[in-house]
Amino acid sequence: MAKAIRQIRKEVQNHQHEHQEAIDDILKELVDNREAIMGAIGILKGLQEMRVLETVGALLEQRNEVGAIAIQQINQPTVHNVVKSGINVFKFIGSLQPSELETILDGVALGLKRLSETSQKGKKQSIWKMQRRLRSPEIRAVVITMMDFMEGMGQAFLKNREEKQ
């Protein structure tokens, strides 16, 4: 028969032994991830040279004051308008077909390019030359497009006005 257990002895690990195991684990991870650690050190060194870490540290020390100022700035009506306008811009862009948007942006880019070329040359246009240019297919296409654009915009304005009343 076995002897009865009368005393339970709990082994307490030596703190020095625990510290040595922790150091060994850390060193093993450092060796296994050498490239990542060296990259992180390089990034931290660059941030330190740019004094970003110092700035972040100061912000963390003054986080309550910085937070209060940030909340005050965010809570201004102009910020609310920017957010609402941004949402409306995304809705507008989402309502356009990608090919339509591409056509519009290409036209704007080419128009701005021609505008800058004309302004650099500084040539004056006579009324007769302008009248002759109005007959070109490109100008006619733009004039018709602008008329359609203005008509559509006018319809939206009238609809908006009716909804408000």
Side-chain angles (χ1 to χ4, degrees):
M1 278 220 151
K3 284 170 98 179
I5 299 174
R6 297 174 190 239
Q7 185 178 6
I8 298 174
R9 228 176 59 187
K10 184 177 179 184
E11 285 188 33
V12 178
Q13 279 194 345
N14 184 356
H15 287 296
Q16 190 175 12
H17 181 68
E18 286 179 8
H19 285 289
Q20 188 59 43
E21 281 184 7
I23 290 171
D24 290 343
D25 289 344
I26 291 171
L27 287 175
K28 181 183 179 302
E29 288 298 319
L30 286 172
V31 169
D32 291 345
N33 299 300
R34 181 177 188 266
E35 289 182 32
I37 299 296
M38 296 306 289
I41 289 172
I43 290 170
L44 286 173
K45 183 178 178 184
L47 292 174
Q48 181 66 32
E49 289 172 358
M50 292 176 14
R51 303 188 77 156
V52 171
L53 296 179
E54 183 180 323
T55 304
V56 170
L59 283 173
L60 288 174
E61 287 176 10
Q62 301 295 323
R63 65 184 168 267
N64 292 334
E65 292 83 3
V66 170
I69 292 169
I71 294 294
Q72 287 174 351
Q73 293 301 315
I74 289 172
N75 207 16
Q76 292 183 5
T78 55
V79 175
H80 295 279
N81 291 340
V82 167
V83 171
K84 288 177 186 175
S85 296
I87 290 170
N88 287 331
V89 165
F90 281 115
K91 284 181 183 177
F92 168 71
I93 291 174
S95 70
L96 294 175
Q97 293 295 323
S99 60
E100 292 174 336
L101 184 61
E102 183 179 5
T103 302
I104 291 168
L105 293 177
D106 286 345
V108 169
L110 286 172
L112 289 173
K113 182 179 177 185
R114 293 285 302 265
L115 175 70
S116 67
E117 290 171 359
T118 303
S119 65
Q120 287 175 357
K121 292 177 185 175
K123 291 183 181 177
K124 291 186 178 181
Q125 294 267 327
S126 69
I127 292 178
W128 299 112
K129 189 169 185 179
M130 286 176 29
Q131 188 177 17
R132 204 174 325 127
R133 289 182 74 189
L134 284 173
R135 292 187 189 119
S136 75
E138 295 86 5
I139 300 294
R140 282 185 169 194
V142 170
V143 169
I144 291 169
T145 303
M146 289 304 295
M147 292 292 191
D148 290 340
F149 173 75
M150 289 189 294
E151 186 176 359
M153 187 179 275
Q155 287 174 353
F157 287 164
L158 291 175
K159 180 182 173 187
N160 191 11
R161 187 180 304 157
E162 288 173 3
E163 289 175 359
K164 286 184 179 179
Q165 291 177 353

